């Protein structure tokens, strides 16, 4: 204090806080940004990049949390929901969380995962993309993306991409 020429203010008495008072004040303080991110990662099991984006935009964070409350016991993962909200740039002022969930669930239910139906599209893709098929058979794993893309095009986006990949790998 002497080095900085600190002089106590004579009109302001020193303030002393008890441990209980400090704890009470700390309980009323908002969480720090890093704490919010960590809570999102731990509680919702979303990736850190999504948590960082959500933490920086409180409107988006509130929208995400409300969507997760509304989702209840549906099978969609929180990481997927966060990604969709962030990447689709959902306008939280125009689309209610209920409408967003309803749209997601209707899209998810319209996916075709029937092996017979998917096999038809895969057969067609194999005919149209013989080079990609031979590349895949020779070990070039990137070729599967081309074939899956063609199947998605043929199915007009209705095929379940994960199921398509499983069937292609089983078939090859």
């Amino acid at each position: 204090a002497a080095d900085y020429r600190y002089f106590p203010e004579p009109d302001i008495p020193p303030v002393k806080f008890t441990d209980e008072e400090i704890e009470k004040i700390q309980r009323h303080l908002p969480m720090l940004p890093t704490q919010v991110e960590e809570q999102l990662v731990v509680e919702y099991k979303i990736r850190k990049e999504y948590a960082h984006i959500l933490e920086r935009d409180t409107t988006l964070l509130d929208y995400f949390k409300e969507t997760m409350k509304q989702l209840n016991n549906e099978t969609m993962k929180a990481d997927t929901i966060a990604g969709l909200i962030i990447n689709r740039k959902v306008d939280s002022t125009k689309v209610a969380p209920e409408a967003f969930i309803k749209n997601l669930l209707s899209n998810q239910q319209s996916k075709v995962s029937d092996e017979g139906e998917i096999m038809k599209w895969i057969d067609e893709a194999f005919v149209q993309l013989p080079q990609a098929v031979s590349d895949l058979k020779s070990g070039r794993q990137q070729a599967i993306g081309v074939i899956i893309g063609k199947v998605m095009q043929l199915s007009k986006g209705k095929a379940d991409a994960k199921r398509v990949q499983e069937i292609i790998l089983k078939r090859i």
Side-chain angles (χ1 to χ4, degrees), residues 51-150:
H52 181 71
I53 293 168
L54 290 172
E55 175 276 318
R56 296 184 92 201
D57 186 347
T58 56
T59 307
L60 212 54
L61 177 62
D62 293 340
Y63 188 82
F64 169 73
K65 286 184 175 181
E66 184 61 32
T67 301
M68 293 309 297
K69 280 183 201 172
Q70 297 290 329
L71 203 58
N72 289 334
N73 296 330
E74 297 298 333
T75 58
M76 297 193 81
K77 293 181 180 177
D79 189 63
T80 305
I81 299 294
L84 290 170
I85 290 172
I86 292 167
N87 294 327
R88 289 186 180 175
K89 296 176 177 55
V90 175
D91 187 358
S92 59
T93 59
K94 295 181 181 175
V95 180
E98 299 85 11
F100 179 70
I101 292 168
K102 187 176 179 182
N103 186 19
L104 284 178
L105 293 176
S106 69
N107 284 344
Q108 187 180 29
Q109 290 171 351
S110 67
K111 296 285 183 193
V112 175
S113 58
D114 176 47
E115 190 166 343
E117 188 74 24
I118 292 175
M119 279 302 288
K120 292 177 191 173
W121 292 319
I122 290 174
D123 290 339
E124 175 101 16
F126 280 6
V127 168
Q128 292 183 17
L129 301 169
Q131 183 62 45
V133 173
S134 66
D135 288 349
L136 186 59
K137 286 181 180 178
S138 67
R140 293 191 187 122
Q141 290 299 315
Q142 299 92 336
I144 197 166
V146 175
I147 298 170
I148 291 172
K150 188 62 170 178

Side-chain angles (χ1 to χ4, degrees), residues 111-119 122 144 148 151-152 158-171:
K111 296 285 183 193
V112 175
S113 58
D114 176 47
E115 190 166 343
E117 188 74 24
I118 292 175
M119 279 302 288
I122 290 174
I144 197 166
I148 291 172
V151 171
M152 295 305 287
K158 291 183 181 179
D160 183 5
K162 287 183 181 180
R163 187 78 177 117
V164 170
Q165 182 175 4
E166 291 170 8
I167 295 170
I168 291 172
L169 291 174
K170 202 183 326 176
R171 184 154 177 219

